[in-house]
Structure formats: C-alpha cells, structure tokens
Amino acid sequence: MRAITIDKEYGNLSEMLQNLRITDRPLRELKDNEILVKMEGAPCNPSDIAFLRGMYQIKKDFPAVPGFEGSGIIIGCGKSLDQSALTGKRISCFIQDNDDGTWAEYFIAKADNCLLLRDDFPKNEAPVFFINPFTAYGLFQTALDKGGRTIVLNAAAGQVGGFIRQFAKEAGIKVINIVRRPQHVEKLKQEGETLVLNMRDKNFRQDALKMFNEYQPETGFDAVAGEHTSFLLEIMPRYAEIVVYGGLSGNPLSVDVLKLIFESKRISGFNLGDWIRQTGRQKLEEISDKLQQMFIDGILRTRIQKTITFDEIQQGLYQYLTKMSDGKVIIRAE
Ligand SMILES: NC(=O)c1ccc[n+]([C@@H]2O[C@H](COP(=O)([O-])OP(=O)(O)OC[C@H]3O[C@@H](n4cnc5c(N)ncnc54)[C@H](OP(=O)(O)O)[C@@H]3O)[C@@H](O)[C@H]2O)c1
C-alpha cells in the first residue's frame, strides 16, 4: 500500500516537510480485535506536526507513517469481530500507538479506537470526527462540573476552540476568547463573540486583567502553554483551574507556586486517549451519537481549508502551518 512516511524526527519545520515521502509499505496480518480500513481521508493536526518534529509524547519506530485519526470504509476484521456486520461501514478511527498511522491507503485500527458513523453523517466531517469534537466535549465537562459561568479559551480561533465555544453557547456559559491575530479578533466578533482579546496587542495584559476581574472565569482551557499560562494563572480568580491540553508555544510552564498554595488555583492536563479509556466504551458511543447528531443538524462544523493528495503533502502541510485557523487540511490517498 502507499503511505506517507518519514525516516526520523526533524526539529526544523522545513527539513521535516522536505523529508516526507510517499512509500510502498507491506500490510501486516490483522490481530483478533483489529479492523482493516480503506482510508478516505485523514487530517493534519497540531499533534501530527509535534510528532514529526519529535515534540510529542508518542514515539514510533522509523520509518513511520504519521496520522493520529482519519476515516474510511471497513474492508476486513480480526477473528473476534463480526465481519459480515461491519464490512462496508464507514468509521472514524484513532491511533495513539507505535504503529502505522492514518496517512496511508489502508489503516489497521483497534476496534476500541473506532466509531461507526451514521449513513447521514456528513462525509467531509468523517476524517476529523474523532480527535477535536471529543477533546472539546471532554474538556468542556470540566467547566460544567465546576458549575461556573465564564471560561477562558486561548488558541480560540482553532477547531477545538470553536467546538468548546459552541458547547458553552448551548450551556449559557460566557467565553473569554484569546487569539493572536487582529483578523481573528474581527472574525470572532462577527460570529457574535463579545469578549475577545489579542495576546499580541500591546495592551493585552491590562485588558485581560480588567476582563478577568469583571467576569471572574473559573476555568481556563490552554493550548498555548509557556509564559502565557503563567500570566493566565496569575490573573485568574482564587480556586480557578487551568486545563492545559496543548503546547503550541513549544515552551515549558513556569508558575508562581504561591498562586497554587495560597490562592488554591490549579493546573491540570488533559489527554484524549486517557479520557477515552476513563469514559468507557458504552458512554463513548452515547457521546458519539450525540456529537454525530450535532454535526448532522449543522450545530457543529469543522472548517476544512483544503483536501490534498499524497503528492501534494509538502505544499498542503505548509499551507496548514501558515494558516492554521483557516481550517484543516485533509490528506487523501488518490
Ligand atoms: N490533549 C489532547 O488530547 C488534544 C486533543 C486535540 C487537540 N489538542 C491540542 O489542541 C490544540 C488546538 O488544536 P486544533 O486542532 O484546534 O488546532 P487548529 O484548528 O489547527 O488551530 C490551531 C490554532 O492555534 C493557534 N496557534 C498556533 N500556534 C500558536 C501559538 N504559538 N500561540 C497562540 N496560538 C497559536 C492558531 O492560530 P494562528 O492561525 O494564528 O496560527 C490556530 O488558531 C493543539 O495544541 C492540539 O495539539 C490536544
């Protein structure tokens, strides 16, 4: 089968792009609980970029096939699965192991990391159904559990941000949105957001302090990390929690311990793979039904800026990296 591969990690972005190759790979035998998928599409997410640059928790043997999610049609199953019931069904799949990823013609998925998609589920949303909608859903439960009235969201023009904003709207929870470009401030305001800050504005710190004092956000969802998180922690009210779920700045956290000790503020982490395991299969399927319905009804929508073929991988990923907020780039085998 044809697949995109990389021979090692490349810290440098342009070296990484130049070293993505189309390779012929053998398909291994299916294990009992595995599903063979003919892939229809897979996105490039920030976690894929982090993996390719050697900045991600999951490591693979090289040469490696990247891609942590995607969708396609089931064409084979391991012995413990019902081949006749599953063959021909469209699924969304996810992988977090040291195994070939989804940027390939065919993908072997563990049954537990697959979700059957309804026939009326929008086909263009299928490749991007597993990671971001469930991450946003899982993260947002933290805010609901806290019973708060305002949340903070950075990288707010991204996809996870957009989904969390939609959940917040439905729950009547206010959102303080933080972006890093003036055009994204405008875009979110056009979408009806009233609380939007640009972290690169010269007045950002004082504007944020004023807004936080007024709205007292109880939970922050942080995909940026680095110094930005320290600042958020500093200005959030007592008992607030920051849930870090991404490290887009590439920088480590350094926090004022006094804020943790004397103001009972908290920093925690979120990882989708762990959340899926903790949620359990039955509940995951219930959430999947709910989320699929929201996409079918047009309440949730993923921005997709481009669909590319394997031979466009370099230009396609470059476009994504320079315009992340414009939407996902979907990679297709043909
Ligand atoms: N922990 C988990 O299980 C989990 C699961 C899913 C996603 N995530 C993480 O969630 C984050 C967002 O993912 P996504 O798919 O929503 O991303 P996305 O749609 O591709 O968009 C990324 C967003 O982040 C902004 N951004 C990029 N680098 C930034 C930086 N250094 N400082 C501030 N903003 C920056 C981009 O803005 P510009 O347009 O200005 O570049 C864009 O709005 C990523 O870190 C991803 O790894 C984590």
Side-chain angles (χ1 to χ4, degrees):
M1 66 154 180
R2 289 165 75 238
I4 302 288
T5 55
I6 193 138
D7 61 337
K8 63 181 180 100
E9 297 163 341
Y10 290 90
N12 178 286
L13 267 178
S14 64
E15 270 189 79
M16 180 274 276
L17 291 177
Q18 281 163 26
N19 282 285
L20 289 165
R21 299 266 180 277
I22 305 173
T23 318
D24 258 323
R25 302 271 287 187
L27 253 180
R28 64 167 174 80
E29 293 269 302
L30 286 182
K31 294 181 193 148
D32 281 3
N33 66 337
E34 288 182 335
I35 288 178
L36 178 60
V37 190
K38 179 160 179 21
M39 295 304 290
E40 292 184 318
C44 175
N45 286 315
S47 52
D48 297 307
I49 301 295
F51 163 73
L52 291 165
R53 298 183 69 191
M55 296 161 73
Y56 201 55
Q57 186 80 1
I58 293 161
K59 302 284 175 196
K60 296 190 188 209
D61 297 334
F62 291 102
V65 181
F68 292 121
E69 73 170 328
S71 65
I73 303 294
I74 300 178
I75 56 167
C77 297
K79 285 193 223 93
S80 65
L81 301 166
D82 185 346
Q83 174 107 12
S84 60
L86 291 172
T87 303
K89 296 268 194 287
R90 175 165 293 121
I91 54 162
S92 159
C93 39
F94 172 65
I95 171 172
Q96 284 221 307
D97 303 312
N98 176 11
D99 208 346
D100 284 357
T102 55
W103 295 6
E105 260 178 303
Y106 298 94
F107 170 63
I108 295 177
K110 286 194 176 125
D112 278 350
N113 287 341
C114 294
L115 290 165
L116 284 175
L117 295 173
R118 278 171 49 172
D119 290 344
D120 52 352
F121 183 78
K123 200 175 159 191
N124 64 324
E125 293 283 356
V128 279
F129 180 61
F130 215 118
I131 295 189
N132 282 347
F134 287 85
T135 298
Y137 185 96
L139 285 168
F140 190 65
Q141 296 313 299
T142 323
L144 289 179
D145 292 347
K146 267 193 167 321
R149 285 182 304 174
T150 308
I151 60 172
V152 179
L153 205 56
N154 59 24
Q159 298 291 324
V160 174
F163 292 140
I164 294 181
R165 207 162 31 249
Q166 186 58 40
F167 295 139
K169 194 169 161 190
E170 304 228 319
I173 290 178
K174 280 200 175 58
V175 181
I176 297 178
N177 297 277
I178 303 176
V179 296
R180 63 171 182 174
R181 297 182 206 272
Q183 64 268 35
H184 297 148
V185 174
E186 282 319 304
K187 191 168 150 289
L188 293 195
K189 287 195 169 166
Q190 278 165 15
E191 287 172 13
E193 292 303 305
T194 50
L195 309 177
V196 192
L197 296 164
N198 180 348
M199 63 192 277
R200 286 176 174 166
D201 266 357
K202 64 176 189 321
N203 295 332
F204 169 67
R205 286 180 165 251
Q206 66 215 56
D207 291 349
L209 183 60
K210 194 161 163 257
M211 210 179 263
F212 280 45
N213 279 339
E214 186 176 347
Y215 291 96
Q216 299 284 306
E218 301 88 352
T219 316
F221 297 112
D222 175 24
V224 176
E227 276 181 16
H228 178 71
T229 312
S230 322
F231 173 65
L232 292 185
L233 190 77
E234 191 186 313
I235 65 168
M236 284 185 77
R238 282 180 85 90
Y239 307 111
E241 177 172 359
I242 296 181
V243 186
V244 181
Y245 69 101
L248 288 164
S249 67
N251 296 323
L253 293 183
S254 130
V255 297
D256 179 351
V257 291
L258 299 180
K259 301 284 169 197
L260 305 178
I261 299 170
F262 291 103
E263 296 182 26
S264 293
K265 297 180 184 179
R266 294 281 170 264
I267 296 193
S268 58
F270 176 93
N271 168 255
L272 180 65
D274 291 336
W275 180 83
I276 288 172
R277 275 186 290 279
Q278 284 155 17
T279 299
R281 186 68 199 178
Q282 193 184 339
K283 180 88 181 133
L284 186 73
E285 285 180 9
E286 284 166 25
I287 298 168
S288 170
D289 288 346
K290 201 161 144 182
L291 291 173
Q292 287 194 50
Q293 191 62 54
M294 291 179 86
F295 280 100
I296 290 163
D297 294 342
I299 298 167
L300 295 180
R301 196 176 68 84
T302 305
R303 264 189 317 278
I304 292 168
Q305 57 171 304
K306 201 175 168 109
T307 298
I308 57 166
T309 51
F310 281 1
D311 42 350
E312 297 169 311
I313 191 77
Q314 272 117 2
Q315 309 95 288
L317 263 51
Y318 179 77
Q319 176 167 330
Y320 169 66
L321 283 164
T322 45
K323 293 178 177 181
M324 289 176 115
S325 302
D326 282 8
K328 295 296 173 192
V329 167
I330 306 293
I331 303 154
R332 285 177 64 94
E334 71 275 358

